[in-house]
Amino acid sequence: MTMDRRTFMNSLAVSAGAAFLPETEGIAPAFPISCNQYSWITFYAREGKDWGANLDQSLKEFASTGLKAYEPAFTQADEVAKLLPVLKKYQLVMPSVYVNSSMHKADEATKSIESVLAIADALKPADTKIIVTNPNPLQWGGSENKNDAELAEQAKNLDKLGTELQKRGMTLAYHTHDVELRAAAREFHHMLLATDPKNVSLCLDVHWVYRGSANSQVALFDIVKLYGKRIVELHLRQSKDGIWQEAFSDGDIDYRRLLTTLNSMNVKPHLVLEQCLEKTSPKTMDAVEAHKKDLLYSAEIFKDWLK
């Protein structure tokens, strides 16, 4: 079974709506290519190491790749203060962050919203602009889906959180794994159709949508067609024959087509590398070498956005 970021964290209106969806033009040129911490967690874990155990050494390796932007995951506000001086030391910026949330039950949602807003307030010195969240499923790795009442509650709470983040000059970006694509993708679609586009944008994790739809580019590009105008961030990962590769490269997903499609919509999201490992991934390079290759390939694919 594939490990997701939660496992690691715990162990340590469709077409008609297009007219009023917010434009994302200009987001990509404002930020350098970033990289999420999760990919580093998987590489370190393969080597028997703990990403972030020595934060200075971890980010020293991160910066040695040439990456200039970092997307960490936070569970509470006091983690932000520990990270900021290390980012400054290695001249790394933090345009976006990933936060935990539980939104399908009213009492849990209240606590999650308070926690995310506390993290957002702590991020003010970093000038972070995008808060990415993937609301918890009923059980990570479980087969049960949320019922209609839970989906409605979750959408309401995402909208509420997005409203509060807008007041802080930040954008909430909804993120998914594969579980949200089950049962006719009802969770995925409802989160976007039942929330206000001004409050809730989309972080398109390209490969999780691809995998969650049984490795379908048809489904992936249908989702881009439906919700492309809401995409403010892309999580970038590639596979070959369905298996995550060590480095971002040509493979199962046609990223050049994705670039062309988003260009046609005048959408230029923030780019975040997340080329992670799973048990069946090749084993030919370490984290630094792999992320150097990630950066070179992504800079070539998206070069027109980065001028």
Side-chain angles (χ1 to χ4, degrees), residues 131-171:
I131 304 287
V132 179
T133 195
N134 191 139
N136 291 331
L138 296 180
Q139 180 183 352
W140 286 102
S143 59
E144 189 178 357
N145 299 318
K146 293 166 187 168
N147 61 37
D148 285 358
E150 289 167 329
L151 293 181
E153 180 70 25
Q154 180 169 292
K156 179 184 73 174
N157 289 314
L158 279 175
D159 217 34
K160 181 178 180 181
L161 175 58
T163 299
E164 292 301 316
L165 289 174
Q166 285 285 346
K167 296 175 183 177
R168 291 163 170 79
M170 295 177 171
T171 296

Side-chain angles (χ1 to χ4, degrees), residues 1-12 38 140:
M1 179 177 161
T2 300
M3 287 186 289
D4 55 58
R5 70 161 54 81
R6 305 295 184 175
T7 305
F8 281 110
M9 294 293 288
N10 290 336
S11 68
L12 321 148
Y38 180 58
W140 286 102

Side-chain angles (χ1 to χ4, degrees), residues 150-224:
E150 289 167 329
L151 293 181
E153 180 70 25
Q154 180 169 292
K156 179 184 73 174
N157 289 314
L158 279 175
D159 217 34
K160 181 178 180 181
L161 175 58
T163 299
E164 292 301 316
L165 289 174
Q166 285 285 346
K167 296 175 183 177
R168 291 163 170 79
M170 295 177 171
T171 296
L172 177 64
Y174 172 62
H175 176 281
T176 68
H177 292 98
D178 54 350
V179 62
E180 296 84 359
L181 279 296
R182 294 195 307 225
R186 68 187 190 192
E187 180 168 348
F188 180 89
H189 290 301
H190 191 67
M191 291 314 106
L192 293 172
L193 294 174
T195 56
D196 190 329
K198 297 192 298 293
N199 300 329
V200 182
S201 296
L202 177 61
C203 171
L204 180 67
D205 192 307
V206 181
H207 201 280
W208 275 121
V209 169
Y210 173 78
R211 178 170 283 186
S213 54
N215 294 347
S216 171
Q217 285 204 97
V218 168
L220 169 64
F221 281 95
D222 281 349
I223 282 174
V224 173

Side-chain angles (χ1 to χ4, degrees), residues 249-278:
S249 62
D250 290 349
D252 293 332
I253 297 172
D254 187 346
Y255 276 94
R256 291 176 179 83
R257 178 184 171 191
L258 180 61
L259 171 69
T260 299
T261 303
L262 292 175
N263 275 338
S264 72
M265 297 178 169
N266 203 29
V267 172
K268 297 178 182 178
H270 177 39
L271 302 172
V272 181
L273 291 162
E274 199 181 40
Q275 188 63 41
C276 303
L277 301 176
E278 53 190 343

